[in-house]
Amino acid sequence: MEAYLFYIMAAVAVVSAVYLIFEKNPVYSILYLVMILISIAVLYLLLGAQFIAAVQIIVYAGAIMVLFLFVVMLLNLSAKEELKDALSFQKIPAIVMGIVLLSAIGIILRSKIPLGKQGEYTSAYVHDVGNTQLIGKLLFTKYLLPFEITSILLFIAAIGAIILAKRK
Amino acid sequence: MDKEFFIYVLISCIKILIVFGVIQFMIISMIWIERKVMAHMQVRLGPMRVGPHGLLQPIADGIKLLFKEDIIPERADKLLFVLAPAMSLVPALITFAVIPFGDKVQIFGYSVDLVITDINIGFLYIFAVGSLGIYGIVMAGWASNNKYSLLGGIRASAQMISYELTLGISLIGVIMLTGSLSLVDIVNAQAKLWNIVLQPVGFFIYAISALAEVNRTPFDLPEAESELVAGYHTEYSSMKFAMFFMAEYANMITVSAIAVTFFLGGWQGPFLPPVAWFMIKLSCCLFCFIWLRSTYPRLRYDQLMHLGWKFLLPLSLLNILITGLVMVLKG
């Protein structure tokens, strides 16, 4: 059952990703991106990471993508305006890098995946304590410093955005 | 094992059908109540012709809308134009999956929780689903290919993003007091004292943000008829228009149910059965929506943004801070 759900959601994500790139209309591209984000949220749920799944939808699908949509609608980009490719020199390197990526994936698929030692947080333990509770606890004990540094980074970014917007 | 699973699925399906049916019924009756209450507040009679005191008016409206011609504008984006009403209605309905509307009951020897599903991220689920509701409105505005619709859609996206933030933060005080994200735990924790007593500021912020989140007067800028014809649903007709209408009412019921669950003790109450208490509290909240609509004029756009970002957001953050401080001091 879970395996089938995984294949379905993974297929939805990959197909949406392909459409996202080939779609001419930016509004449709955004909606395909939302579909990718939601199907990945379902994959998180299948892995037992409910918190990440919910946050993925709240933050990415619910807030950031709506802002994207807002900007696209304000600029009123339409499919008819052929967007000029400003970075046309990228084409050949992109193809080369794509081939490298595909071969790397091929090598990984053919080789055995090394399994490490089982960690402290088994899925049974996480299920017992609760996913959100564990993340909260770890963020404010073991990973307090990185967590606070991240918050300062985000704070600086927010200030920067306000200064840039106020400049004119 | 297999039989148990089968019964679980069966009970869940029945619960979903009942909840869905009740919400549909409430939407229909809300339309009549809103027209009637507003009419009496404005010293009118309201609908009187169809049935006694116009009771059958919603059914007449429904039949009328069903038989209206379904117009899709020539230059509209057909796919999104058709999808948009469904995209705004579905999130409003599926939020109810985690809202507890009664205590455990025994039916044919099986103990049934009166909540469709109790998940330990209930709070996050509500906001995850709620944050998707905006796509329907924005898509409707864009796909109609009409400048009034587009303006309505843009306004809706800005407004809903701004107020979603305060909506979420206003509830964090309750989460801190309860120590759980599950809505069943939140209701159980209010057996003695409702959260509105402990979190009056939180409730105040939630009420305003919820009003803005469902685009009701005085925050109905996305469909302001004096400036934008009808906003994002200007081009919609027939059942598609009815679906937007239903989505608005479904959203109202949803945010009211969340308010009841988080602040007003959920189904807790003496004498009457729990489900009755839940419905009474829900009805009171819904009545307030109508009351506010016939009392306040619409805000100006800059007032809306100032209220959200410069007043409600700092206030809700302060609320969290003070809640935390009091909790630490009390131990």
Side-chain angles (χ1 to χ4, degrees):
Chain A
M1 177 83 172
E2 280 180 4
Y4 286 122
L5 206 51
F6 169 79
Y7 286 124
I8 293 168
M9 288 338 270
V12 168
V14 171
V15 171
S16 310
V18 171
Y19 269 104
L20 161 73
I21 293 166
F22 287 104
E23 182 61 55
K24 284 269 163 60
N25 192 331
V27 173
Y28 272 88
S29 290
I30 289 173
L31 291 180
Y32 282 120
L33 192 48
V34 173
M35 260 167 82
I36 298 173
L37 293 168
I38 294 176
S39 45
I40 289 175
V42 176
L43 296 187
Y44 284 139
L45 272 184
L46 288 175
L47 290 170
Q50 299 101 331
F51 181 76
I52 303 290
V55 169
Q56 161 104 350
I57 292 181
I58 294 172
V59 175
Y60 286 103
I64 294 178
M65 292 330 289
V66 177
L67 281 180
F68 272 40
L69 207 55
F70 185 76
V71 171
V72 167
M73 279 168 60
L74 267 184
L75 297 175
N76 208 4
L77 298 171
S78 61
K80 286 151 217 147
E81 291 169 40
E82 277 291 315
L83 290 169
K84 275 224 170 130
D85 192 1
L87 301 168
S88 53
F89 59 87
Q90 279 185 334
K91 243 175 204 165
I92 294 161
I95 293 169
V96 174
M97 296 310 275
I99 293 167
V100 171
L101 179 70
L102 278 180
S103 45
I105 291 172
I107 292 166
I108 291 168
L109 281 179
R110 283 175 143 263
S111 62
K112 244 188 176 176
I113 299 161
L115 291 173
K117 255 199 299 185
Q118 194 169 37
E120 194 181 339
Y121 301 101
T122 57
S123 53
Y125 179 68
V126 172
H127 186 80
D128 263 7
V129 183
N131 189 272
T132 317
Q133 285 88 333
L134 258 181
I135 289 175
K137 211 175 204 172
L138 283 176
L139 275 185
F140 283 100
T141 51
K142 199 170 166 190
Y143 300 108
L144 183 64
L145 187 66
F147 181 60
E148 292 298 333
I149 290 172
T150 315
S151 70
I152 292 171
L153 262 178
L154 286 173
F155 189 51
I156 293 169
I159 293 174
I162 289 169
I163 289 174
L164 284 178
K166 280 266 174 189
R167 186 165 280 170
K168 53 176 186 218
Chain B
M1 183 64 199
D2 244 354
K3 198 185 161 211
E4 246 172 48
F5 181 73
F6 176 73
I7 287 170
Y8 173 76
V9 171
L10 190 72
I11 288 176
S12 296
C13 287
I14 291 170
K15 279 195 286 198
I16 291 169
L17 284 177
I18 290 174
V19 169
F20 189 70
V22 169
I23 294 173
Q24 299 294 325
F25 178 74
M26 283 179 76
I27 291 171
I28 292 171
S29 37
M30 269 300 287
I31 293 170
W32 179 79
I33 293 168
E34 171 150 40
R35 293 179 70 172
K36 219 50 190 170
V37 170
M38 268 185 53
H40 282 282
M41 284 178 175
Q42 297 160 350
V43 207
R44 297 184 284 122
L45 284 174
M48 284 298 274
R49 301 282 170 183
V50 196
H53 284 269
L55 256 179
L56 298 176
Q57 186 67 43
I59 295 167
D61 286 347
I63 293 170
K64 188 198 86 173
L65 281 168
L66 261 176
F67 285 105
K68 280 250 173 176
E69 188 188 351
D70 189 10
I71 301 164
I72 297 178
E74 177 75 30
R75 306 277 290 278
D77 190 303
K78 304 267 177 334
L79 177 67
L80 291 180
F81 188 82
V82 174
L83 272 180
M87 277 157 77
S88 71
L89 181 58
V90 170
L93 292 175
I94 56 177
T95 313
F96 256 86
V98 294
I99 290 175
F101 47 90
D103 203 1
K104 270 198 181 91
V105 286
Q106 298 286 333
I107 301 172
F108 303 123
Y110 293 104
S111 136
V112 179
D113 291 318
L114 286 186
V115 49
I116 291 172
T117 179
D118 174 24
I119 51 177
N120 61 2
I121 53 159
F123 169 77
L124 295 171
Y125 171 84
I126 286 177
F127 284 96
V129 172
S131 64
L132 295 178
I134 184 174
Y135 282 104
I137 292 177
V138 176
M139 278 346 322
W142 182 79
S144 301
N145 204 357
N146 170 324
K147 59 186 167 214
Y148 297 116
S149 301
L150 186 69
L151 281 172
I154 289 174
R155 276 188 183 186
S157 58
Q159 176 178 335
M160 286 167 89
I161 279 204
S162 310
Y163 281 85
E164 215 171 68
L165 202 63
T166 43
L167 195 74
I169 294 175
S170 68
L171 294 177
I172 286 181
V174 174
I175 302 287
M176 286 163 76
L177 289 174
T178 316
S180 170
L181 294 178
S182 153
L183 270 67
V184 172
D185 292 344
I186 289 169
V187 172
N188 288 335
Q190 297 178 75
K192 285 197 187 105
L193 191 62
W194 292 1
N195 277 332
I196 188 173
V197 183
L198 301 169
Q199 287 282 327
V201 180
F203 181 71
F204 171 71
I205 298 165
Y206 177 82
I208 295 177
S209 315
L211 210 58
E213 191 66 16
V214 299
N215 301 326
R216 290 278 301 184
T217 335
F219 300 103
D220 61 342
L221 290 113
E223 43 189 298
E225 50 281 281
S226 50
E227 319 154 23
L228 296 181
V229 189
Y232 58 88
H233 55 57
T234 305
E235 295 288 356
Y236 281 85
S237 55
S238 185
M239 269 323 271
K240 293 204 194 72
F241 171 74
M243 275 173 87
F244 275 119
F245 216 66
M246 283 164 69
E248 183 181 326
Y249 282 89
N251 271 319
M252 261 164 73
I253 297 170
T254 306
V255 293
S256 303
I258 296 169
V260 169
T261 308
F262 276 81
F263 293 103
L264 304 176
W267 42 261
Q268 312 263 14
F271 312 123
L272 292 172
V275 180
W277 269 114
F278 183 78
M279 293 307 277
I280 289 169
K281 290 171 185 172
L282 193 60
S283 314
C284 290
C285 288
L286 288 170
F287 179 78
C288 289
F289 271 105
I290 302 170
W291 194 3
L292 285 166
R293 179 174 170 189
S294 50
T295 309
Y296 287 107
R298 185 180 303 131
L299 264 75
R300 225 174 42 226
Y301 195 72
D302 58 322
Q303 290 173 331
L304 173 94
M305 285 296 150
H306 279 247
L307 180 70
W309 290 102
K310 293 189 178 168
F311 177 65
L312 290 180
L313 186 64
L315 191 67
S316 53
L317 290 173
L318 200 68
N319 184 43
I320 293 177
L321 201 71
I322 292 172
T323 309
L325 207 66
V326 171
M327 279 175 72
V328 169
L329 289 179
K330 282 185 102 179

